[in-house]
Amino acid sequence: MKITTGSSLKIHQGKPTYQYLAAFTGTLTIITSGMHYGWPSPSLPKLLEQNSTMEVSTDEGSWMAVMPLLGAVIGALIVGVTVDILGRKRTIILTTFPFFAGWIMVAYAKSVTVLYVARFIAGVADGWAFTAVPMYIGEIADPKIRGLLGSGVSVTWIFGILLINVIGSYLSITVTALVSSLLPVLALLTFVWMPESPYYLLMRNQPKEAQRSLQKFRGLEDVDAELNRLTVAVRQQTHNTGKFLDLFAVKGNRRAVLVILIVRAGQQLSGTTAITFYAQSIFKEAGDDISFELATIIYFSVQLAMTMVCSSIVDRTGRRPRLLYQ
């Protein structure tokens, strides 16, 4: 085992099994989020049919599609408090309940209003999950696999969108929702056994628990060097807590905010959200020799494959080249 000098990280020789398990079980909630997000694609065409069991107008369908985005705003605002009070692990576990409730409401909805509420609740959970899960993974992952595990969030989200399009294309809305409700249950039953983030445990002044957590995640008994490094990092964060205005008052922060805004704006303005919501409707209107259901599945399969390729090489090529090449 080798320890480098200065501020360099310890080179670990343990087994990262728990890191992979925690990342996998934690991202089951992200799969559920992707399924809720992609639900309008196979479901709206069925709801808008003349023989639909529920009378839904085009405008109502549009609101139904974007309702999770409104809920996600609320969830993202709330989660900033819950991740520091309840912890990363408990917050992720908490998301399974509204995700499950959303699917059950969709399965037995008799009115558009119930579907609105169900989609909004799922959006709140989405805001929680997309903050807590990447934070948790970033805090438990060894630097050499952090990029791989972190990018797994994108992979599993796209997989969720693909999965709901496969299930929803060939099953009724009710059966699709009931089958989908198994995912948050599975997430709850598996992730509950994972350790809490050692970084959070140090924030709560629980060094013994943080040490045990780190030992599990690293597959090592001797984690003193990394534990000391995390302790120093937590102390620095505690004593140098930034304010919202610091994002704009500090030159380095302004540049970071600008980069994030440009990247996110480029992604959203490309129309990817609208395509995700209305993929089957778009392919249906376009017409082709293959069915619009199969065309949608092919589209999201290609998207998933490319996301997996990028995830597998991100630690070797870096983040910036991947953004430039896209």
Side-chain angles (χ1 to χ4, degrees):
M1 187 178 298
K2 178 182 176 183
I3 301 177
T4 57
T5 59
S7 60
S8 298
L9 298 178
K10 182 177 178 179
I11 299 178
H12 302 284
Q13 301 297 327
K15 296 181 179 179
T17 305
Y18 259 94
Q19 296 178 51
Y20 286 108
L21 281 175
F24 173 74
T25 56
T27 51
L28 287 175
T29 60
I30 302 297
I31 295 178
T32 305
S33 172
M35 294 177 74
H36 272 292
Y37 196 82
W39 177 84
S41 174
S43 300
L44 281 183
K46 295 178 181 179
L47 289 172
L48 295 174
E49 288 177 351
Q50 291 184 350
N51 60 349
S52 173
T53 56
M54 186 185 305
E55 187 175 341
V56 179
S57 67
T58 303
D59 287 342
E60 288 172 334
S62 299
W63 279 105
M64 204 178 296
V66 302
M67 199 58 68
L69 302 181
L70 301 178
V73 174
I74 305 299
L77 293 174
I78 297 173
V79 76
V81 177
T82 61
V83 288
D84 285 340
I85 295 178
L86 300 177
R88 285 65 162 143
K89 177 183 173 179
R90 289 192 185 95
T91 300
I92 294 171
I93 291 174
L94 187 63
T95 64
T96 63
F97 294 97
F99 275 141
F100 177 78
W103 284 126
I104 296 302
M105 292 176 70
V106 168
Y108 296 105
K110 300 298 181 182
S111 68
V112 173
T113 302
V114 174
L115 288 177
Y116 283 165
V117 174
R119 302 275 293 157
F120 182 85
I121 290 174
V124 173
D126 177 80
W128 288 348
F130 263 94
T131 301
V133 173
M135 182 181 294
Y136 178 80
I137 293 175
E139 291 177 357
I140 69 167
D142 191 279
K144 60 187 177 184
I145 58 172
R146 185 172 294 150
L148 174 63
L149 295 184
S151 58
V153 173
S154 299
V155 173
T156 50
W157 190 65
I158 298 298
F159 176 74
I161 297 174
L162 171 62
L163 185 60
I164 194 65
N165 274 278
V166 172
I167 299 173
S169 295
Y170 304 105
L171 299 177
S172 67
I173 291 176
T174 298
V175 175
T176 296
L178 291 176
V179 171
S180 301
S181 69
L182 297 177
L183 262 294
V185 174
L186 181 61
L188 174 63
L189 295 178
T190 56
F191 185 71
V192 71
W193 304 105
M194 296 299 109
E196 176 59 273
S197 158
Y199 193 94
Y200 169 76
L201 291 171
L202 288 173
M203 287 176 57
R204 307 303 293 181
N205 196 26
Q206 300 176 26
K208 291 296 183 182
E209 288 79 0
Q211 183 181 34
R212 285 194 288 268
S213 172
L214 203 55
Q215 287 171 338
K216 277 193 173 183
F217 282 128
R218 297 296 180 259
L220 293 168
E221 288 297 321
D222 182 13
V223 294
D224 291 343
E226 185 170 6
L227 187 64
N228 291 334
R229 179 182 62 81
L230 287 177
T231 301
V232 171
V234 169
R235 287 174 181 169
Q236 289 178 342
Q237 177 182 313
T238 302
H239 293 298
N240 300 302
T241 303
K243 300 177 181 178
F244 176 75
L245 292 179
D246 290 341
L247 290 174
F248 309 98
V250 180
K251 183 178 180 181
N253 291 344
R254 287 199 300 269
R255 182 178 180 183
V257 171
L258 180 62
V259 170
I260 292 172
L261 287 176
I262 291 174
V263 172
R264 288 294 291 171
Q267 180 193 47
Q268 295 302 313
L269 294 176
S270 67
T272 179
T273 301
I275 293 173
T276 300
F277 287 158
Y278 296 103
Q280 288 202 13
S281 299
I282 292 172
F283 284 114
K284 186 177 182 179
E285 290 293 327
D288 206 333
D289 294 333
I290 61 175
S291 66
F292 61 89
E293 294 96 343
L294 181 57
T296 302
I297 292 171
I298 293 173
Y299 170 76
F300 286 116
S301 295
V302 172
Q303 197 173 43
L304 175 63
M306 295 308 300
T307 306
M308 293 175 67
V309 169
C310 290
S311 298
S312 65
I313 63 177
V314 68
D315 281 323
R316 284 173 289 174
T317 61
R319 282 62 161 167
R320 186 170 179 268
R322 299 273 67 76
L323 288 172
L324 292 176
Y325 293 155
Q326 75 177 4

